[in-house]
């Protein structure tokens, strides 16, 4: 973590060359002077979150730098990758600087539950599952004989066309949707 700086004697700098050769004409106490090295540290974030700064800065050898990651809406912190990281699984942790280093925060989408039901008079495609945040899931309602599709109802928002039997729902939280059907009327 240190680098050579200069040679000195009696409070005066003799040279910054290393090695340094000279002729001694009398007794002389020579001191080798060293300085603490600084190294570049870069912090960055993958998709789904941010880190403060995000730029490369120099820190002296042995410095302990605090790092933190903030997930975007619908994402959660996964881990840090890089060297010298105290706890790669903590979103707030430290890095000990021992050379040129970097740390990258990773995030994963949160999975949300979609519960889908079909009202009397029809069926829907199999949807009851967990889906990652910010995905679109296909909704398909099929009326039974003697029924017609009448629309979708939902607990939140996200269905792109509530009057279409074939549409999508955007996942941005836990949701429930239902396909509704009405009996057909026949002239007699």
């Amino acid at each position: 973590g240190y680098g050579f700086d200069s040679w000195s004697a009696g409070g005066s700098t003799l040279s910054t060359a290393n090695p340094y050769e000279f002729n001694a004409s009398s007794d002389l106490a020579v001191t080798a002077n060293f300085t603490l090295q600084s190294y570049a540290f870069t912090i960055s974030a993958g998709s789904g979150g941010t880190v403060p700064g995000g730029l490369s800065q120099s820190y002296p050898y042995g410095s302990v730098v605090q790092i933190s990651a903030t997930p975007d809406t619908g994402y959660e912190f996964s881990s840090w990758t890089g060297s010298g990281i105290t706890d790669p699984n903590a979103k707030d942790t430290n890095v000990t600087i021992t050379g040129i280093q970097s740390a990258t925060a990773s995030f994963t989408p949160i999975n949300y539950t979609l519960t889908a039901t079909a009202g009397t008079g029809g069926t829907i495609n199999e949807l009851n599952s967990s889906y990652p945040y910010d995905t679109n899931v296909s909704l398909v309602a099929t009326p039974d004989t003697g029924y017609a599709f009448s629309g979708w109802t939902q607990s939140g928002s996200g269905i792109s066309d509530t009057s279409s039997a074939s549409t999508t729902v955007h996942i941005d939280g836990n949701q429930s949707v239902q396909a509704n059907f009405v009996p057909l009327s026949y002239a007699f």
Side-chain angles (χ1 to χ4, degrees), residues 20-41:
Y20 172 59
E21 293 182 23
F22 63 96
N23 291 325
S25 58
S26 64
D27 289 343
L28 187 62
V30 177
T31 302
N33 301 296
F34 299 90
T35 57
L36 193 59
Q37 296 293 306
S38 288
Y39 297 99
F41 174 66

Side-chain angles (χ1 to χ4, degrees), residues 76-163:
E76 60 191 358
F77 173 78
S78 296
S79 65
W80 290 100
T81 54
S83 62
I85 299 168
T86 303
D87 184 355
N89 297 315
K91 70 182 191 87
D92 299 310
T93 189
N94 298 316
V95 174
T96 302
I97 303 300
T98 58
I100 297 172
Q101 292 166 254
S102 64
T104 302
S106 297
F107 304 90
T108 55
I110 296 172
N111 283 334
Y112 290 104
T113 301
L114 175 62
T115 305
T117 57
T120 302
T123 59
I124 58 171
N125 56 320
E126 183 58 42
L127 300 170
N128 296 323
S129 188
S130 292
Y131 298 92
Y133 174 81
D134 204 28
T135 58
N136 291 308
V137 178
S138 293
L139 301 175
V140 178
T142 305
D144 291 340
T145 302
Y147 286 86
F149 174 76
S150 64
W152 294 96
T153 54
Q154 58 190 329
S155 63
S157 62
I159 296 178
S160 59
D161 184 355
T162 57
S163 62

Side-chain angles (χ1 to χ4, degrees), residues 44-52 68-73 75-77 105-108:
S44 60
S47 62
T50 59
V51 293
S68 64
T70 305
D72 292 340
T73 300
Y75 289 82
E76 60 191 358
F77 173 78
S106 297
F107 304 90
T108 55

